[in-house]
Amino acid sequence: PGTEWGAAAERPGSSLLTRQLQELWRKSRGSLAPQRLLFEVTSASVVSERSSKYVLYTIYLIRTGQFDKAPATITRRYSDFERLNRRLRCRFSCDMAGIAFPRKRLRRNFTAETIAKRSRAFEQFLSHLHSIAEIRRSPEFLEFFFLQDLQAAQRLTCTGMYREALATWANAYRLQDRLGVCSSGRFLLTLAGLAVCHQELDQLGEAHGCCEQALQLLEAQGSHPLLGPFLQAHVHLAWKVGKDKRRSEARLQDLREAGPPLQQQPTLKECLIKEPLD
């Protein structure tokens, strides 16, 4: 659904955010304490499908005090926020007690005023959630931001649409970076996706850099399922781009001596295709 929404958001004439409306938002945005990470709804589009109509909100994740050349962005509709709210209230009922969520309306859902109010409410909702450490680190909160991108990137990679996949992996990378989860298994999978797509598009220096970053994260781990595939890819790419590969070769040798034959190990691309993302 992520790609369909993206296409819908680009339909001409569908954006409701005039300059005047954006000004209204800025003036009326709540006085939340400044945070390291800000959530800003930058546009809202009415999407009409066969039998339904909904508003699609584009949200930027912005680090305060920094200019992001390539922002981390998501597009979500009311039902996505509602699902997140429901899941978090089930698990964190005490923490969630004081957090407001905009109610569903029976009518006038598509007026500029309703959309502006709801957009502000979503910004404040996400900021409140992010300010609570336990919620901020929960899978429910994190996957709201990047699981859709990972699933879409995986599908695009599997079907050989590497350029489109690369852009989606890159956005998933930026989202995880902003959310401070750059040491998780999902982040390593994202680096694998970036490395594979860069390599398929003959951007070997970039692919090599992704493998380097992954191997730094895996430095302390003796047996991670992606360690062998990343080491093999790194050795191959280092040879291609004329970089030092001795350290990776030594680590590969250690792996060979410690476990099953490396011929049986999947490649990075095979790991990506097989990884269940749900």
Side-chain angles (χ1 to χ4, degrees), residues 90-231:
C90 280
R91 190 166 161 207
F92 302 102
S93 53
C94 292
D95 286 322
M96 293 293 291
I99 297 180
F101 186 78
R103 284 195 189 137
K104 194 102 174 167
R105 294 170 67 110
L106 294 174
R107 54 197 184 84
R108 293 178 60 78
N109 278 303
F110 302 104
T111 66
E113 188 187 6
T114 299
I115 290 171
K117 280 183 180 170
R118 206 168 256 182
S119 299
R120 282 196 312 281
F122 286 147
E123 289 174 347
Q124 293 180 0
F125 175 66
L126 292 176
S127 291
H128 270 133
L129 295 178
H130 187 260
S131 70
I132 300 167
E134 208 176 345
I135 291 178
R136 183 169 67 234
R137 297 187 197 112
S138 70
E140 292 88 347
F141 180 75
L142 293 169
E143 288 178 356
F144 169 80
F145 289 96
F146 54 79
L147 185 59
Q148 282 184 17
D149 268 6
L150 293 180
Q151 290 168 333
Q154 186 184 49
R155 281 196 303 275
L156 290 164
T157 307
C158 289
T159 52
M161 297 176 73
Y162 299 113
R163 201 165 295 284
E164 296 85 345
L166 183 61
T168 313
W169 288 119
N171 191 56
Y173 178 102
R174 289 191 293 272
L175 287 166
Q176 291 170 87
D177 175 51
R178 303 296 183 279
L179 291 161
V181 285
C182 290
S183 56
S184 69
R186 292 275 163 91
F187 189 69
L188 284 167
L189 194 73
T190 306
L191 287 170
L194 287 167
V196 166
C197 291
H198 278 306
Q199 187 169 357
E200 292 290 346
L201 294 167
D202 216 28
Q203 298 163 356
L204 303 184
E206 289 88 340
H208 176 263
C210 292
C211 291
E212 292 250 284
Q213 191 178 351
L215 290 173
Q216 283 169 10
L217 290 171
L218 288 164
E219 188 72 50
Q221 303 203 32
S223 60
H224 188 281
L226 285 172
L227 179 57
F230 265 121
L231 284 169

Side-chain angles (χ1 to χ4, degrees), residues 32-79:
L32 281 168
Q35 300 230 345
R36 209 170 52 80
L37 191 64
L38 297 177
F39 303 90
E40 185 174 341
V41 177
T42 57
S43 68
S45 307
V46 176
V47 180
S48 293
E49 288 181 341
R50 286 177 296 279
S51 58
S52 68
K53 191 176 173 186
Y54 57 86
V55 180
L56 189 67
Y57 300 87
T58 299
I59 300 118
Y60 278 23
L61 279 68
I62 302 163
R63 282 201 191 102
T64 52
Q66 288 185 9
F67 173 70
D68 284 331
K69 282 185 292 186
T73 139
I74 58 171
T75 51
R76 298 289 182 269
R77 52 195 284 189
Y78 182 91
S79 57

